[in-house]
Amino acid sequence: MSFTPHGKNLIDGAWVASTDSFASAPFSGPSYSFASAGSAEVDAAALAAARAFWTYGRTSRAERAAFLNAIADEIEARGADITEIAHQESGLPVARLEGERGRTTGQLRLFASHILQGDYLDRRIDPALPDRKPAPRTEIRLIERPLGPVAVFGASNFPLAFSTAGGDTASALAAGCPVLVKGHPAHPGTGEIVAEAILAAIVKTGMPKGTFGFIQGPSRDLGEAVVKHPAIKAVGFTGSLGAGRALFNLCAARPEPIPFFGELGSVNPNFVLPEALAARGEQIAQGWAGSLTMGAGQFCTNPGVVVLPEGPAGDRFVAAAKAALEQIASQPMLTDGIASAFRAGTARFHARNAVTPVIETESQGRTASPNVYQTTAATYLQDHALGEEVFGPLGLIIRTADAEEMLTLAHGFEGQLTATLHLDDGDMGLARALLPILETKAGRVLANGFSTGVEVVDAMMHGGPYPASTNASATSVGTLAIRRFLRPIAYQNLPEGLWPADL
């Protein structure tokens, strides 16, 4: 491999060492030492971002678009090295990483194109009415403006698309906000080489050095120091419910509370309606098994729950799912900690008397094999723990007695990123009854598909009611993600020379 990590933090355009360090724990290949940032590094990086904001926040849309495209160019120039070290650190297949790198550069270019159009600025102009009675009205103009420096936390399960130059970073930079990334310790070398690409784009396009900073370290204290720093004005996070809620609480408890955009995962229920179940239940079961185990189940949109009627057609679905899952080999997990948590989650289901196994396997070390269980709607509604996400290839099939119980169960789900209806023409009546419920539960509702594919497009919504995310109105995927890091400002009766250029 031509890339060897130097293990330093990127602060104000320079690679900086620190007194403490940590070692990477790759799935394969060599381990490297990385500087572990502390409060001094956080302070220096955050203040550099604050200084950069006064210039970067006032760049033109064309300048920022050129910067985003330059980042994509620099990532592509390092493509082979990025894939190699990401494969070593995460254990993810090369083909998956190649696709994820394409998604990362693709969303950078999409955001560049989107901000050039200008629609995201939501410009509104109410002209003056000097002759209005009983009182005249002055001119009022409104536009979206950048919030300020944004902290981004890298995700464990997407070392590229949701990490250093991922969707949160790309959308904040598109909005005009400098970014400070706290890299995920599961893939520090991958984070570093992507940070090098962003620094090269800063130099190439002449952006302020503090426009992007990158710090690393495994301690929870580091993440807390980032969100508590007064220069940080918003936070983007993808990760577990526990860690996300802790950071959310810190953001709210600051002397100046700031928005926390946390995407925390969900179980993404699939409702298989009676006509579809009878006509093609085995086919749906096979598709569900494939989606459940894709990437060892390490997706926030993993379809962890299936709801289907009791009876022979449902039994055939269960048998087909079991047969398909028996063909799935064990797969590597992203970290030893994630693998351990998966085993603990599986044990939690195994210990419940009212939950019966469909397929149980033993997962060892840093690998995982599928485990699926079955229960009744009444049991699920009485046991809140059954609705908690287990990160990995674990599924739960919930059987319902009739349509009324399916509707009751739908009401009982917590907030989700997605919900799916599998239906045929004869299911439309039940689907119409379910849809208003699912709209209150999920940010994305699908029909006759599976939720593990998230398109990076204008219309995508990747968020949902809590606990799926901390802001049900925000998305971390698609061009609407840019608006998280903007706020509307109204200008009343300003002379023309003072208007922002975009207004």
mmCIF file of all heavy atoms in Angstrom, residues 267-298:
data_model
loop_
_atom_site.group_PDB
_atom_site.id
_atom_site.type_symbol
_atom_site.label_atom_id
_atom_site.label_comp_id
_atom_site.label_asym_id
_atom_site.label_seq_id
_atom_site.Cartn_x
_atom_site.Cartn_y
_atom_site.Cartn_z
ATOM 1 N N VAL A 267 -35.665 -0.181 13.710
ATOM 2 C CA VAL A 267 -35.875 -1.577 13.305
ATOM 3 C C VAL A 267 -36.620 -1.683 11.975
ATOM 4 O O VAL A 267 -36.774 -2.778 11.437
ATOM 5 C CB VAL A 267 -36.621 -2.373 14.396
ATOM 6 C CG1 VAL A 267 -35.766 -2.458 15.653
ATOM 7 C CG2 VAL A 267 -37.984 -1.777 14.708
ATOM 8 N N ASN A 268 -37.143 -0.576 11.449
ATOM 9 C CA ASN A 268 -37.656 -0.500 10.071
ATOM 10 C C ASN A 268 -38.642 -1.616 9.730
ATOM 11 O O ASN A 268 -38.359 -2.505 8.917
ATOM 12 C CB ASN A 268 -36.477 -0.533 9.094
ATOM 13 C CG ASN A 268 -35.464 0.549 9.395
ATOM 14 O OD1 ASN A 268 -35.756 1.723 9.302
ATOM 15 N ND2 ASN A 268 -34.268 0.147 9.785
ATOM 16 N N PRO A 269 -39.839 -1.598 10.325
ATOM 17 C CA PRO A 269 -40.783 -2.713 10.148
ATOM 18 C C PRO A 269 -41.278 -2.873 8.718
ATOM 19 O O PRO A 269 -41.490 -1.896 8.002
ATOM 20 C CB PRO A 269 -41.936 -2.343 11.091
ATOM 21 C CG PRO A 269 -41.850 -0.855 11.237
ATOM 22 C CD PRO A 269 -40.382 -0.538 11.191
ATOM 23 N N ASN A 270 -41.457 -4.137 8.326
ATOM 24 C CA ASN A 270 -42.064 -4.512 7.049
ATOM 25 C C ASN A 270 -43.414 -5.155 7.333
ATOM 26 O O ASN A 270 -43.494 -6.131 8.090
ATOM 27 C CB ASN A 270 -41.178 -5.525 6.314
ATOM 28 C CG ASN A 270 -40.008 -4.885 5.588
ATOM 29 O OD1 ASN A 270 -39.872 -5.006 4.398
ATOM 30 N ND2 ASN A 270 -39.155 -4.197 6.329
ATOM 31 N N PHE A 271 -44.463 -4.631 6.723
ATOM 32 C CA PHE A 271 -45.813 -5.190 6.872
ATOM 33 C C PHE A 271 -46.146 -5.976 5.606
ATOM 34 O O PHE A 271 -46.254 -5.400 4.526
ATOM 35 C CB PHE A 271 -46.833 -4.076 7.087
ATOM 36 C CG PHE A 271 -46.701 -3.364 8.408
ATOM 37 C CD1 PHE A 271 -45.736 -2.372 8.586
ATOM 38 C CD2 PHE A 271 -47.520 -3.681 9.474
ATOM 39 C CE1 PHE A 271 -45.596 -1.715 9.798
ATOM 40 C CE2 PHE A 271 -47.402 -3.031 10.695
ATOM 41 C CZ PHE A 271 -46.431 -2.046 10.858
ATOM 42 N N VAL A 272 -46.300 -7.278 5.748
ATOM 43 C CA VAL A 272 -46.654 -8.129 4.615
ATOM 44 C C VAL A 272 -48.163 -8.360 4.676
ATOM 45 O O VAL A 272 -48.670 -9.049 5.572
ATOM 46 C CB VAL A 272 -45.893 -9.468 4.651
ATOM 47 C CG1 VAL A 272 -46.187 -10.268 3.383
ATOM 48 C CG2 VAL A 272 -44.394 -9.232 4.801
ATOM 49 N N LEU A 273 -48.899 -7.770 3.743
ATOM 50 C CA LEU A 273 -50.359 -7.807 3.786
ATOM 51 C C LEU A 273 -50.880 -9.115 3.179
ATOM 52 O O LEU A 273 -50.176 -9.788 2.410
ATOM 53 C CB LEU A 273 -50.920 -6.582 3.073
ATOM 54 C CG LEU A 273 -50.393 -5.223 3.599
ATOM 55 C CD1 LEU A 273 -51.230 -4.077 3.050
ATOM 56 C CD2 LEU A 273 -50.352 -5.173 5.123
ATOM 57 N N PRO A 274 -52.111 -9.507 3.525
ATOM 58 C CA PRO A 274 -52.575 -10.880 3.256
ATOM 59 C C PRO A 274 -52.518 -11.320 1.803
ATOM 60 O O PRO A 274 -52.093 -12.448 1.502
ATOM 61 C CB PRO A 274 -54.016 -10.866 3.779
ATOM 62 C CG PRO A 274 -54.024 -9.817 4.844
ATOM 63 C CD PRO A 274 -53.078 -8.753 4.364
ATOM 64 N N GLU A 275 -52.976 -10.480 0.867
ATOM 65 C CA GLU A 275 -52.990 -10.899 -0.529
ATOM 66 C C GLU A 275 -51.573 -11.094 -1.075
ATOM 67 O O GLU A 275 -51.289 -12.059 -1.791
ATOM 68 C CB GLU A 275 -53.752 -9.877 -1.377
ATOM 69 C CG GLU A 275 -55.236 -9.777 -1.054
ATOM 70 C CD GLU A 275 -55.989 -11.056 -1.397
ATOM 71 O OE1 GLU A 275 -55.598 -11.733 -2.368
ATOM 72 O OE2 GLU A 275 -56.944 -11.384 -0.668
ATOM 73 N N ALA A 276 -50.693 -10.178 -0.739
ATOM 74 C CA ALA A 276 -49.303 -10.318 -1.170
ATOM 75 C C ALA A 276 -48.666 -11.543 -0.528
ATOM 76 O O ALA A 276 -47.880 -12.254 -1.175
ATOM 77 C CB ALA A 276 -48.518 -9.061 -0.804
ATOM 78 N N LEU A 277 -48.991 -11.794 0.723
ATOM 79 C CA LEU A 277 -48.438 -12.962 1.414
ATOM 80 C C LEU A 277 -48.868 -14.254 0.731
ATOM 81 O O LEU A 277 -48.054 -15.161 0.525
ATOM 82 C CB LEU A 277 -48.888 -12.949 2.879
ATOM 83 C CG LEU A 277 -48.406 -14.092 3.759
ATOM 84 C CD1 LEU A 277 -46.886 -14.072 3.896
ATOM 85 C CD2 LEU A 277 -49.066 -14.029 5.139
ATOM 86 N N ALA A 278 -50.142 -14.332 0.375
ATOM 87 C CA ALA A 278 -50.652 -15.551 -0.262
ATOM 88 C C ALA A 278 -50.068 -15.744 -1.662
ATOM 89 O O ALA A 278 -49.774 -16.867 -2.071
ATOM 90 C CB ALA A 278 -52.175 -15.500 -0.333
ATOM 91 N N ALA A 279 -49.892 -14.646 -2.391
ATOM 92 C CA ALA A 279 -49.465 -14.749 -3.786
ATOM 93 C C ALA A 279 -47.961 -14.938 -3.941
ATOM 94 O O ALA A 279 -47.512 -15.647 -4.852
ATOM 95 C CB ALA A 279 -49.910 -13.503 -4.553
ATOM 96 N N ARG A 280 -47.170 -14.312 -3.070
ATOM 97 C CA ARG A 280 -45.717 -14.331 -3.279
ATOM 98 C C ARG A 280 -44.953 -14.234 -1.967
ATOM 99 O O ARG A 280 -43.887 -13.623 -1.880
ATOM 100 C CB ARG A 280 -45.304 -13.185 -4.212
ATOM 101 C CG ARG A 280 -45.884 -11.833 -3.841
ATOM 102 C CD ARG A 280 -45.680 -10.782 -4.930
ATOM 103 N NE ARG A 280 -46.323 -9.530 -4.563
ATOM 104 C CZ ARG A 280 -45.723 -8.556 -3.880
ATOM 105 N NH1 ARG A 280 -44.452 -8.690 -3.504
ATOM 106 N NH2 ARG A 280 -46.359 -7.444 -3.589
ATOM 107 N N GLY A 281 -45.505 -14.852 -0.938
ATOM 108 C CA GLY A 281 -44.870 -14.776 0.374
ATOM 109 C C GLY A 281 -43.458 -15.321 0.391
ATOM 110 O O GLY A 281 -42.558 -14.737 1.019
ATOM 111 N N GLU A 282 -43.220 -16.452 -0.286
ATOM 112 C CA GLU A 282 -41.884 -17.045 -0.282
ATOM 113 C C GLU A 282 -40.873 -16.116 -0.968
ATOM 114 O O GLU A 282 -39.727 -15.973 -0.518
ATOM 115 C CB GLU A 282 -41.900 -18.409 -0.982
ATOM 116 C CG GLU A 282 -42.651 -19.485 -0.208
ATOM 117 C CD GLU A 282 -44.122 -19.567 -0.588
ATOM 118 O OE1 GLU A 282 -44.657 -18.551 -1.121
ATOM 119 O OE2 GLU A 282 -44.736 -20.621 -0.349
ATOM 120 N N GLN A 283 -41.298 -15.458 -2.031
ATOM 121 C CA GLN A 283 -40.402 -14.525 -2.723
ATOM 122 C C GLN A 283 -40.054 -13.342 -1.820
ATOM 123 O O GLN A 283 -38.896 -12.908 -1.752
ATOM 124 C CB GLN A 283 -41.074 -14.031 -4.002
ATOM 125 C CG GLN A 283 -40.265 -13.006 -4.774
ATOM 126 C CD GLN A 283 -41.039 -12.442 -5.961
ATOM 127 O OE1 GLN A 283 -42.073 -12.977 -6.372
ATOM 128 N NE2 GLN A 283 -40.551 -11.342 -6.520
ATOM 129 N N ILE A 284 -41.057 -12.801 -1.130
ATOM 130 C CA ILE A 284 -40.804 -11.689 -0.206
ATOM 131 C C ILE A 284 -39.870 -12.135 0.912
ATOM 132 O O ILE A 284 -38.963 -11.401 1.317
ATOM 133 C CB ILE A 284 -42.133 -11.156 0.367
ATOM 134 C CG1 ILE A 284 -43.020 -10.611 -0.751
ATOM 135 C CG2 ILE A 284 -41.871 -10.066 1.406
ATOM 136 C CD1 ILE A 284 -44.436 -10.269 -0.311
ATOM 137 N N ALA A 285 -40.074 -13.366 1.402
ATOM 138 C CA ALA A 285 -39.226 -13.880 2.477
ATOM 139 C C ALA A 285 -37.769 -13.962 2.046
ATOM 140 O O ALA A 285 -36.845 -13.610 2.801
ATOM 141 C CB ALA A 285 -39.722 -15.257 2.919
ATOM 142 N N GLN A 286 -37.540 -14.421 0.819
ATOM 143 C CA GLN A 286 -36.169 -14.514 0.322
ATOM 144 C C GLN A 286 -35.535 -13.126 0.186
ATOM 145 O O GLN A 286 -34.365 -12.918 0.523
ATOM 146 C CB GLN A 286 -36.165 -15.244 -1.016
ATOM 147 C CG GLN A 286 -36.531 -16.719 -0.902
ATOM 148 C CD GLN A 286 -36.853 -17.354 -2.238
ATOM 149 O OE1 GLN A 286 -36.788 -16.704 -3.287
ATOM 150 N NE2 GLN A 286 -37.210 -18.629 -2.218
ATOM 151 N N GLY A 287 -36.314 -12.174 -0.309
ATOM 152 C CA GLY A 287 -35.803 -10.810 -0.417
ATOM 153 C C GLY A 287 -35.501 -10.202 0.936
ATOM 154 O O GLY A 287 -34.489 -9.509 1.114
ATOM 155 N N TRP A 288 -36.385 -10.488 1.908
ATOM 156 C CA TRP A 288 -36.153 -9.964 3.257
ATOM 157 C C TRP A 288 -34.884 -10.565 3.860
ATOM 158 O O TRP A 288 -34.082 -9.856 4.480
ATOM 159 C CB TRP A 288 -37.359 -10.262 4.145
ATOM 160 C CG TRP A 288 -37.142 -9.844 5.578
ATOM 161 C CD1 TRP A 288 -36.989 -8.576 6.045
ATOM 162 C CD2 TRP A 288 -37.038 -10.707 6.713
ATOM 163 N NE1 TRP A 288 -36.797 -8.587 7.406
ATOM 164 C CE2 TRP A 288 -36.830 -9.883 7.841
ATOM 165 C CE3 TRP A 288 -37.119 -12.091 6.893
ATOM 166 C CZ2 TRP A 288 -36.691 -10.402 9.140
ATOM 167 C CZ3 TRP A 288 -36.990 -12.607 8.176
ATOM 168 C CH2 TRP A 288 -36.773 -11.775 9.281
ATOM 169 N N ALA A 289 -34.665 -11.851 3.677
ATOM 170 C CA ALA A 289 -33.471 -12.495 4.217
ATOM 171 C C ALA A 289 -32.208 -11.866 3.641
ATOM 172 O O ALA A 289 -31.219 -11.637 4.357
ATOM 173 C CB ALA A 289 -33.503 -13.995 3.922
ATOM 174 N N GLY A 290 -32.227 -11.571 2.354
ATOM 175 C CA GLY A 290 -31.069 -10.939 1.735
ATOM 176 C C GLY A 290 -30.825 -9.539 2.256
ATOM 177 O O GLY A 290 -29.681 -9.135 2.500
ATOM 178 N N SER A 291 -31.910 -8.769 2.425
ATOM 179 C CA SER A 291 -31.772 -7.406 2.927
ATOM 180 C C SER A 291 -31.335 -7.402 4.386
ATOM 181 O O SER A 291 -30.517 -6.583 4.806
ATOM 182 C CB SER A 291 -33.100 -6.663 2.766
ATOM 183 O OG SER A 291 -32.986 -5.313 3.156
ATOM 184 N N LEU A 292 -31.867 -8.319 5.187
ATOM 185 C CA LEU A 292 -31.542 -8.402 6.610
ATOM 186 C C LEU A 292 -30.067 -8.672 6.841
ATOM 187 O O LEU A 292 -29.472 -8.163 7.798
ATOM 188 C CB LEU A 292 -32.382 -9.506 7.265
ATOM 189 C CG LEU A 292 -32.154 -9.745 8.761
ATOM 190 C CD1 LEU A 292 -32.770 -8.618 9.573
ATOM 191 C CD2 LEU A 292 -32.726 -11.094 9.185
ATOM 192 N N THR A 293 -29.455 -9.465 5.982
ATOM 193 C CA THR A 293 -28.065 -9.878 6.180
ATOM 194 C C THR A 293 -27.068 -9.103 5.324
ATOM 195 O O THR A 293 -25.864 -9.346 5.425
ATOM 196 C CB THR A 293 -27.918 -11.382 5.878
ATOM 197 O OG1 THR A 293 -28.367 -11.647 4.540
ATOM 198 C CG2 THR A 293 -28.755 -12.209 6.848
ATOM 199 N N MET A 294 -27.548 -8.187 4.495
ATOM 200 C CA MET A 294 -26.648 -7.385 3.676
ATOM 201 C C MET A 294 -25.672 -6.627 4.561
ATOM 202 O O MET A 294 -26.073 -5.975 5.532
ATOM 203 C CB MET A 294 -27.457 -6.402 2.821
ATOM 204 C CG MET A 294 -26.613 -5.540 1.887
ATOM 205 S SD MET A 294 -27.622 -4.291 1.039
ATOM 206 C CE MET A 294 -28.759 -5.349 0.120
ATOM 207 N N GLY A 295 -24.369 -6.728 4.249
ATOM 208 C CA GLY A 295 -23.382 -6.027 5.056
ATOM 209 C C GLY A 295 -23.386 -6.453 6.505
ATOM 210 O O GLY A 295 -23.107 -5.645 7.399
ATOM 211 N N ALA A 296 -23.719 -7.726 6.757
ATOM 212 C CA ALA A 296 -23.829 -8.259 8.127
ATOM 213 C C ALA A 296 -24.864 -7.487 8.943
ATOM 214 O O ALA A 296 -24.777 -7.393 10.160
ATOM 215 C CB ALA A 296 -22.481 -8.259 8.835
ATOM 216 N N GLY A 297 -25.874 -6.945 8.244
ATOM 217 C CA GLY A 297 -26.944 -6.247 8.947
ATOM 218 C C GLY A 297 -26.538 -4.928 9.555
ATOM 219 O O GLY A 297 -27.271 -4.370 10.381
ATOM 220 N N GLN A 298 -25.406 -4.375 9.143
ATOM 221 C CA GLN A 298 -24.875 -3.172 9.782
ATOM 222 C C GLN A 298 -25.296 -1.904 9.040
ATOM 223 O O GLN A 298 -24.472 -1.080 8.650
ATOM 224 C CB GLN A 298 -23.343 -3.284 9.865
ATOM 225 C CG GLN A 298 -22.896 -4.455 10.727
ATOM 226 C CD GLN A 298 -21.409 -4.704 10.650
ATOM 227 O OE1 GLN A 298 -20.674 -4.510 11.601
ATOM 228 N NE2 GLN A 298 -20.945 -5.147 9.482
#
